[in-house]
Amino acid sequence: MCADVTAATGGPAEAGSSSLKARLRKAEAKKRRGAFMLTLPLLIFVTVMFLVPLVGMIWLSVANTTIPEYMPKTVSALSTWDGKELPPEKAYAAVAEDLQAAFKVRKFGVIAKNLNEQMPGTLGLINKTSFRTGRLKTAPANWKDELTKIDKKWGEMPIWTLLKRQSASWTPDYYLAAVDMERGPDGSIQAVPPYQRIYVKLFIRTAWMSTLITVLTLLLGYPLAYWISRMPDNKANLMMIAVLLPFWTSLLVRITSWIVLLQSHGVVNSILVGSGAVSDANRPQLINNELGTIIVMTQVLLPFMVLPLYSTMKSIPDSYMRAAISMGAHPWRAFWRVFAPLTVSGIGAGVLLVFILSIGYYITPELVGGQSGQFISNRIAYNVQQSLNWGLAAALGTILTAVTLILFLLYGMITGKGKVTIG
Amino acid sequence: MTQDHNGAFVEFDRVQKTYDGETLVVKDLNLKIGKGEFLTMLGPSGSGKTTCLMMLAGFETATQGDIRLAGKPINAVPPHKRGIGMVFQNYALFPHMTVGENLSFPLEVRSLPKSERESKIKRALDMVQMGDFINRRPSQLSGGQQQRIALARALVFEPELVLMDEPLGALDKQLREHMQFEIKHLHESLGITVVYVTHDQGEALTMSDRVAVFDDGRIQQLAPPDELYESPQNSFVAQFIGENNKLPGTIEEISDGKAKVRLDSGELIDATAVNVTSKGQRTVVSIRPERVEYRPELLPAGAQTIPAEVLEFIYMGDIFRTRLKVAGSDEFVIKSRNTQGQARLKPGEKIQIGWAPQDARALDAL
């Protein structure tokens, strides 16, 4: 019988063995195609709505299109200039012709604004030169003399250095501005005057307030997660619903409730004054400052700390602690030596999650942060909506995205590693 | 091994336990465990055996009554000061520590110097033949190896009392049987007192000096394994320990520990009266399948015989299992060893079966 079986299966298997791999590949390819088709709509959506704008934003943070677009002759004339002394006559002629052209289509303002961002005072120079050259009926014999006559700045180095620099189609200047640096008149990199320094301070404030918020959520979330994880399942589910309840409430509603609670004539202050703990004149400022941002963001982000902690703790059976205690360890010691080390991956996950979310937060600091509780994202929004300096906004956003990305990779490493050790 | 119940090492004195304030999960427990004894708490889940173990370990508090260890009440002693070794069903080895660190833990807690810790760890590991595994992580060990490490860890600080909560429950059958003997031998060589919880009756019979059968929060019977198997004191124990044929009936006559029982099918049989007291009482006569004989020449003198019809014959390798219709019951089973020349009964065959009257035990009707 055994011989029969071998004979029966041996033939076809041998005959088909050459195409077996090919058939497997074909079958797998079909499966892969199916899976790909299922994810295709999402893929298209993510590409169009997320990846393209992201790449666009990164491009915007280094893009420098104004001068190459509106002063093409200047760009080509300066391409061979070494920048050591004043450029030759043909560069003067190129500038004049470019400005004349821009004057005709009323675009010299764009050039003026772009250059003025780099070197204050240039606005007047460009406007004046555009008007004067634009009205000339005939070209003068010597553009250099003509321009220097219009404004003697054309006879000095800084404007030419600036034009040369701005001729490049990309620029690191937005990044310099994002870290409170600028170009000096000679093109060297230097710090902006102290009163203009805001971004480094904001980055640092965003980082330390996010750290503080993360620590607070950990301090509040760890005991809570521990307590819930030691409950019987039905009660634990109920408690988790309570933890997740904020997710089902609009963020704006929650923030508004906090404003009601914390404002100077709000619930908390009224209770403090009513109970005599503080006098009416000395109502503490609980909102529209750093404190407000910290209080509200801690509450808003708490679930993101509790969830990973809870899921880690849930996987630690009671018997670990019991075993440690039965061996003579005081419950505290058992906790520190046995339970706490096993929750490290949960702590790492929760801390990084809250910190990542925190450094990018916008709406909460905007509504309850006042002046001192602003985050970097509020400044990005300002540059997008008010000052319309999209390049700077893009540079700030790219820096924030890069930091987040690094933290996220760290998060992946920690949770990935955690799975291996716990499992 | 001592049976000296007066000098009890562990004593439960009228202990009760309730979780919800309404139902008692442990009802009036009185139990004395001698020093060096291997006592098993056996029972179905929810019978209160694990609760008793946890009260002894200190992880549950007795609602009422005293628990004494070496004569001293320990109700108020926190678990980490009781000095009781414990082995858990899931082993509870600390996954972030190596085997050596796991064993070192109870010794560090006791502030033993490093050299002493090392020698004790080595001795404990050698005891369970795991000396080479000191630097492994628990996750790198098989279930049986983890079990040995858990055992070594519970013994390394030399407790006089070791509690084991279904320690072999997660192992496969063969390994479980092997570990049963190892634990038994360790118990014998170390002279420690062991309280062992299991729901596996085979395990309880194999390992224990005495077995306490739990049901419904009470000890139904406390006896050495052979007595438990051969002389169950009530229907629950008879049914829970080993296989058991039940013939329901009514007491017709009772005297001197002997009873005549009128079975529901009409036959009158002799039985040993165990926990029945009066005429007219309902009873269940319990007979072990291996004590029933169907070959007339092998029936003991004075045997009770009764007609039977073969319903099913099952070949199980070392034994034959034959299901019979006896006195109206379809579930009557006899077991016979697969010896040379043993006849195999055929379904439909009409035979006479019989047993010695002392093997038929008249118990309370459940």
Side-chain angles (χ1 to χ4, degrees):
Chain A
M1 191 190 149
C2 275
D4 282 353
V5 172
T6 351
T9 57
E14 242 165 71
S17 67
S18 57
S19 67
L20 196 60
K21 268 185 186 158
R23 271 182 291 162
L24 176 72
R25 238 192 334 266
K26 216 171 144 189
E28 300 259 295
K30 201 174 167 189
K31 225 191 284 177
R32 265 203 302 275
R33 249 196 327 273
F36 180 72
M37 292 305 284
L38 284 174
T39 52
L40 194 62
L42 179 66
L43 217 60
I44 293 171
F45 180 81
V46 167
T47 310
V48 173
M49 304 306 290
F50 180 69
L51 285 179
V52 170
L54 189 71
V55 171
M57 184 192 81
I58 293 171
W59 166 240
L60 218 55
S61 70
V62 292
N64 187 40
T65 53
T66 312
I67 301 305
E69 190 178 339
Y70 295 112
M71 300 184 79
K73 288 179 180 152
T74 314
V75 169
S76 79
L78 289 179
S79 63
T80 52
W81 179 53
D82 63 0
K84 287 191 178 110
E85 49 201 33
L86 286 174
E89 163 65 15
K90 72 167 180 159
Y92 281 88
V95 166
E97 280 159 26
D98 279 338
L99 289 180
Q100 277 176 322
F103 183 73
K104 253 179 221 152
V105 295
R106 295 281 180 267
K107 284 290 181 197
F108 63 91
V110 181
I111 300 169
K113 180 170 173 286
N114 177 276
L115 294 176
N116 195 61
E117 271 169 16
Q118 304 296 322
M119 194 163 82
T122 320
L123 192 73
L125 171 69
I126 298 296
N127 284 345
K128 191 162 73 176
T129 314
S130 301
F131 273 108
R132 301 269 287 271
T133 54
R135 285 185 190 139
L136 282 176
K137 294 281 181 278
T138 51
N142 190 321
W143 275 115
K144 185 172 180 179
D145 294 343
E146 182 67 26
L147 289 187
T148 319
K149 206 167 71 191
I150 293 170
D151 196 312
K152 64 176 189 314
K153 279 186 189 153
W154 288 113
E156 291 158 10
M157 282 298 282
I159 181 65
W160 292 105
T161 315
L162 178 64
L163 274 173
K164 168 85 176 168
R165 199 167 75 228
Q166 293 296 91
S167 303
S169 56
W170 72 274
T171 172
D173 288 356
Y174 295 121
Y175 283 96
L176 291 179
V179 292
D180 291 341
M181 306 285 252
E182 63 179 5
R183 299 274 191 176
D186 56 347
S188 66
I189 295 166
Q190 62 184 39
V192 299
Y195 65 91
Q196 283 182 13
R197 290 176 198 164
I198 48 171
Y199 294 112
V200 170
K201 213 171 76 186
L202 262 179
F203 272 118
I204 291 171
R205 186 202 282 164
T206 304
W208 91 256
M209 278 177 65
S210 297
T211 308
L212 187 63
I213 288 162
T214 306
V215 169
L216 284 174
T217 54
L218 180 63
L219 290 179
L220 292 172
Y222 198 96
L224 179 67
Y226 178 79
W227 183 54
I228 299 175
S229 73
R230 301 297 103 179
M231 279 181 177
D233 275 351
N234 52 346
K235 277 189 194 166
N237 288 338
L238 210 66
M239 289 308 295
M240 284 317 284
I241 289 175
V243 168
L244 295 175
L245 206 57
F247 280 140
W248 306 329
T249 318
S250 154
L251 184 59
L252 277 174
V253 172
R254 276 185 281 160
I255 294 172
T256 316
S257 326
W258 275 110
I259 294 173
V260 171
L261 284 172
L262 298 178
Q263 61 192 336
S264 55
H265 285 82
V267 177
V268 173
N269 264 322
S270 301
I271 291 172
L272 287 177
V273 172
S275 66
V278 296
S279 71
D280 199 17
N282 293 325
R283 287 171 183 260
Q285 178 76 24
L286 300 174
I287 206 160
N288 294 329
N289 56 10
E290 282 180 344
L291 186 62
T293 302
I294 289 167
I295 292 175
V296 179
M297 281 184 64
T298 301
Q299 192 265 335
V300 169
L301 294 173
L302 191 58
F304 295 99
M305 181 62 85
V306 174
L307 281 176
L309 283 176
Y310 172 76
S311 70
T312 308
M313 291 176 180
K314 192 81 192 142
S315 68
I316 303 172
D318 283 335
S319 57
Y320 285 2
M321 281 285 275
R322 290 189 162 179
I325 292 170
S326 78
M327 284 182 263
H330 187 275
W332 271 114
R333 185 166 186 167
F335 175 83
W336 285 115
R337 283 292 309 278
V338 176
F339 193 88
L342 293 176
T343 59
V344 165
S345 67
I347 294 173
V351 161
L352 277 167
L353 193 61
V354 170
F355 191 78
I356 287 172
L357 286 170
S358 183
I359 56 172
Y361 240 62
Y362 164 70
I363 188 81
T364 310
E366 184 70 21
L367 292 176
V368 301
Q371 268 299 315
S372 62
Q374 296 285 297
F375 275 24
I376 194 72
S377 29
N378 301 102
R379 203 65 200 173
I380 295 175
Y382 167 82
N383 278 316
V384 170
Q385 295 162 351
Q386 321 249 314
S387 83
L388 302 183
N389 191 346
W390 283 34
L392 180 56
L396 291 169
T398 306
I399 293 175
L400 193 60
T401 309
V403 171
T404 309
L405 214 62
I406 291 167
L407 289 173
F408 188 75
L409 290 178
L410 213 65
Y411 171 89
M413 273 164 59
I414 287 179
T415 49
K417 202 176 142 218
K419 267 176 211 142
V420 173
T421 41
I422 293 294
Chain B
M1 288 283 172
T2 173
Q3 297 288 322
D4 177 9
H5 290 200
N6 292 325
F9 182 54
V10 177
E11 187 178 3
F12 288 87
D13 187 7
R14 285 171 288 128
V15 170
Q16 295 188 337
K17 173 71 184 175
T18 174
Y19 286 106
D20 55 7
E22 285 169 18
T23 46
L24 288 170
V25 287
V26 175
K27 299 169 182 161
D28 195 38
L29 179 77
N30 291 287
L31 175 62
K32 291 177 178 176
I33 303 169
K35 198 165 173 58
E37 188 174 1
F38 195 120
L39 182 121
T40 298
M41 295 176 170
L42 173 69
S45 55
S47 59
K49 58 188 193 304
T50 300
T51 306
C52 285
L53 196 76
M54 289 301 161
M55 284 194 286
L56 183 52
F59 297 120
E60 299 287 355
T61 49
T63 313
Q64 214 183 338
D66 280 332
I67 300 172
R68 282 187 278 271
L69 182 62
K72 290 186 213 66
I74 54 169
N75 292 36
V77 179
H80 64 279
K81 290 192 176 147
R82 295 193 181 188
I84 298 174
M86 202 154 174
V87 183
F88 295 84
Q89 177 168 15
N90 64 2
Y91 320 129
L93 296 176
F94 307 142
H96 57 300
M97 298 183 189
T98 63
V99 165
E101 287 163 347
N102 263 283
L103 264 72
S104 182
F105 186 82
L107 306 176
E108 283 167 35
V109 167
R110 286 170 175 73
S111 311
L112 291 187
K114 192 160 189 272
S115 58
E116 201 174 330
R117 286 206 306 263
E118 276 167 0
S119 71
K120 276 183 196 279
I121 291 168
K122 191 179 178 319
R123 200 168 346 129
L125 284 178
D126 287 343
M127 199 164 67
V128 291
Q129 293 112 49
M130 293 288 291
D132 298 337
F133 294 82
I134 188 160
N135 289 320
R136 298 276 189 97
R137 296 253 169 198
S139 57
Q140 296 169 307
L141 303 177
S142 71
Q145 290 170 331
Q146 291 187 34
Q147 182 53 63
R148 283 164 201 247
I149 300 303
L151 209 56
R153 194 179 63 174
L155 296 171
V156 71
F157 61 100
E158 292 160 13
E160 291 190 303
L161 174 63
V162 176
L163 311 183
M164 302 190 189
D165 184 10
E166 311 224 7
L168 307 179
L171 301 180
D172 62 55
K173 187 168 177 288
Q174 232 172 348
L175 198 53
R176 194 159 64 222
E177 281 167 5
H178 180 75
M179 287 302 292
Q180 286 170 8
F181 288 110
E182 281 201 26
I183 293 175
K184 180 113 191 88
H185 294 152
L186 275 176
H187 163 250
E188 280 163 7
S189 62
L190 297 175
I192 49 172
T193 309
V194 176
V195 179
Y196 191 100
V197 162
T198 182
H199 63 263
D200 181 331
Q201 40 134 334
E203 208 165 285
L205 296 180
T206 311
M207 302 171 77
S208 321
D209 294 326
R210 284 191 303 160
V211 178
V213 181
F214 276 69
D215 186 47
D216 194 25
R218 286 180 202 282
I219 293 181
Q220 301 291 332
Q221 188 169 355
L222 173 63
D226 53 345
E227 195 184 320
L228 202 65
Y229 186 80
E230 282 167 38
S231 314
Q233 288 304 303
N234 59 37
S235 289
F236 175 81
V237 176
Q239 222 174 305
F240 193 74
I241 310 281
E243 217 177 345
N244 180 41
N245 290 308
K246 292 169 287 183
L247 296 173
T250 312
I251 305 288
E252 194 115 304
E253 232 182 279
I254 184 163
S255 64
D256 259 0
K258 292 199 186 344
K260 283 196 181 300
V261 177
R262 176 72 64 186
L263 299 181
D264 291 353
S265 55
E267 290 92 344
L268 188 69
I269 60 166
D270 289 325
T272 308
V274 181
N275 61 347
V276 286
T277 47
S278 56
K279 203 179 151 192
Q281 196 181 345
R282 290 291 295 162
T283 183
V284 168
V285 178
S286 149
I287 308 147
R288 296 282 184 206
E290 68 277 15
R291 297 294 171 96
V292 180
E293 184 52 66
Y294 64 92
R295 288 161 297 186
E297 69 277 14
L298 294 178
L299 279 175
Q304 176 74 50
T305 60
I306 192 164
E309 185 189 341
V310 178
L311 294 176
E312 196 179 11
F313 174 85
I314 299 166
Y315 178 86
M316 293 179 74
D318 56 342
I319 57 163
F320 301 149
R321 205 180 130 89
T322 314
R323 193 160 64 84
L324 307 171
K325 185 180 174 77
V326 175
S329 161
D330 281 350
E331 300 293 329
F332 200 98
V333 170
I334 63 174
K335 283 182 191 167
S336 36
R337 291 201 304 133
N338 183 5
T339 49
Q340 193 73 45
Q342 175 77 283
R344 300 182 183 187
L345 295 166
K346 287 174 191 63
E349 217 174 319
K350 298 251 187 326
I351 52 169
Q352 282 280 324
I353 56 166
W355 54 79
Q358 63 267 28
D359 287 333
R361 298 171 61 80
L363 304 168
D364 56 305
L366 265 179

